[in-house]
Amino acid sequence: MNTAPATLLRSTAELNALGRSAGARRSVVMTMGALHDGHATLIRAARAAAGPGGQVVVTVFVNPLQFGEAADLDRYPRTLDADLAVASEAGADAVFAPSADEVYPGGEPQVRITAGPMGERLEGAARPGHFDGMLTVVAKLLHLTRPDAAFFGQKDAQQLALVRRMVRDLNFGIDIVAVPTVRDPDGLALSSRNRFLSAEERRTALALPRALFAARDRLAAQQTLHARARTVPDRGGRAAALNRLGEARAAADTQAVALARPTVVPAAVLAAARSVLDEAAGEEVPLALDYVALVDPADFTEVPDGRVSGEVVLAVAARVGATRLIDNIPLTLGALT
């Protein structure tokens, strides 16, 4: 691992002058600064992928195209000195921290990347134009840094899906690597915005991970019940079979799960999450829900009612006080018979 301080690069000329050995891999981690251990985890993953002879570049750029309101842009934390320390300790070779004039020398670009229909769903509906701005700067930074691989956090799952789609559709020839969400011990997903939460607001914000984990546990319970019910001879139904095992509560679940229409599976997962979020809406510091949705990770369309199997993402967004937070968890739905 690199133990020397990361080199600070301010211009594209300095970035272009950054040499690397022939055949050495370059990994890039794109950030808007205010680095925390979630970013450090990305950088460590990039370091491991690049190898001891490779190179890791971290970009720090607060992209104005991603912010709908000037106040949000001004409020975003800028902590470059601390970011350099975090990046260096995690193994970065260089930190590219250009100004807005350096990235957009002619002012706001006239030609931009359009996110398409996926960019209008969930986060895109809540923040119109956000994903167009995100993809535009990601495309520019990929061209400028010329990496072999770029690393993104699963916490921003819709962003990750859109970057993957852009790279595929426009033939960038770059590997996009997802890194699992990093959480504090209390379960809250690490985010640069967490610093804005008061102690009471943070307690309310914990409803987001609790809702996701409740949905995950509900799904696991359903799948366990189905598997168990299938092992019992069917003499009068699976619910009755579980009753014979002395599991009346499990039998009630099985009546709703194993014997009901398959639509109960995504509905029950969402219901478990909503129950937690609804309770948080009544707290002294209330949670204001933007959305909770079970979606296909490839295009972020909502999972339809009906028999479902495969990978899905349960995504949630809410405001607590003046701070907007997002979170998600990947789940695997199994076909139920």
Side-chain angles (χ1 to χ4, degrees):
M1 176 180 289
N2 172 46
T3 56
T7 302
L8 177 61
L9 310 172
R10 287 295 212 168
S11 69
T12 54
E14 291 173 334
L15 180 62
N16 291 336
L18 183 66
R20 58 171 156 167
S21 304
R25 289 182 61 82
R26 176 180 285 178
S27 298
V28 67
V29 175
M30 297 184 190
T31 81
M32 291 204 297
L35 302 190
H36 47 67
D37 195 50
H39 296 109
T41 300
L42 289 171
I43 297 167
R44 289 191 289 268
R47 177 79 269 162
Q55 196 174 73
V56 175
V57 176
V58 175
T59 68
V60 174
F61 179 62
V62 182
N63 178 30
L65 301 188
Q66 292 176 228
F67 290 82
E69 299 179 10
D72 288 339
L73 175 62
D74 293 339
R75 187 173 180 238
Y76 200 87
R78 275 85 164 172
T79 58
L80 184 57
D81 289 343
D83 294 344
L84 277 168
V86 171
S88 297
E89 185 176 354
D93 297 288
V95 171
F96 179 47
S99 66
D101 289 338
E102 185 72 24
V103 176
Y104 304 120
E108 289 197 5
Q110 297 296 302
V111 177
R112 306 187 187 197
I113 301 291
T114 300
M118 197 195 323
E120 298 172 359
R121 298 169 189 143
L122 297 189
E123 283 301 290
R127 305 167 68 188
H130 166 73
F131 286 127
D132 291 356
M134 179 276 294
L135 289 177
T136 298
V137 79
V138 167
K140 290 201 71 162
L141 290 173
L142 288 176
H143 287 313
L144 290 171
T145 56
R146 303 186 304 278
D148 298 286
F151 291 72
F152 291 86
Q154 178 65 38
K155 187 181 83 70
D156 297 298
Q158 192 170 3
Q159 170 181 280
L160 171 64
L162 280 161
V163 170
R164 280 178 163 160
R165 187 61 185 249
M166 177 185 72
V167 166
R168 186 185 75 184
D169 286 355
L170 301 183
N171 300 101
F172 274 61
I174 295 166
D175 293 331
I176 303 300
V177 182
V179 178
T181 300
V182 180
R183 299 182 181 276
D184 273 329
D186 61 8
L188 195 65
L190 296 189
S191 169
S192 301
R193 298 178 186 272
N194 290 354
R195 68 187 65 199
F196 298 131
L197 296 170
S198 68
E200 286 121 354
E201 288 170 341
R202 186 180 178 100
R203 280 194 289 273
T204 298
L206 291 176
L208 271 70
R210 283 204 310 270
L212 297 177
F213 300 153
R216 178 193 62 192
D217 293 345
R218 176 62 172 164
L219 176 62
Q222 287 182 322
Q223 292 173 333
T224 298
L225 287 169
H226 275 270
R228 189 145 187 209
R230 284 196 297 269
T231 67
V232 178
D234 188 4
R235 298 174 189 145
R238 290 175 177 167
L242 283 170
N243 266 325
R244 288 196 297 275
L245 291 174
E247 298 185 10
R249 186 170 181 178
D253 271 348
T254 301
Q255 183 70 25
V257 176
L259 302 179
R261 293 176 302 165
T263 55
V264 74
V265 176
V269 170
L270 281 170
R274 283 189 181 278
S275 177
V276 176
L277 297 167
D278 288 346
E279 183 178 347
E283 295 288 345
E284 185 174 343
V285 177
L287 179 144
L289 182 65
D290 277 0
Y291 62 76
V292 58
L294 199 65
V295 298
D296 184 327
D299 59 11
F300 270 66
T301 54
E302 292 199 44
V303 171
D305 289 340
R307 191 176 297 273
V308 177
S309 64
E311 303 301 314
V312 297
V313 169
L314 180 61
V316 62
R319 287 189 180 274
V320 181
T323 304
R324 187 173 185 277
L325 301 171
I326 63 172
D327 202 350
N328 71 85
I329 190 170
L331 299 171
T332 302
L333 299 181
L336 302 179
T337 58

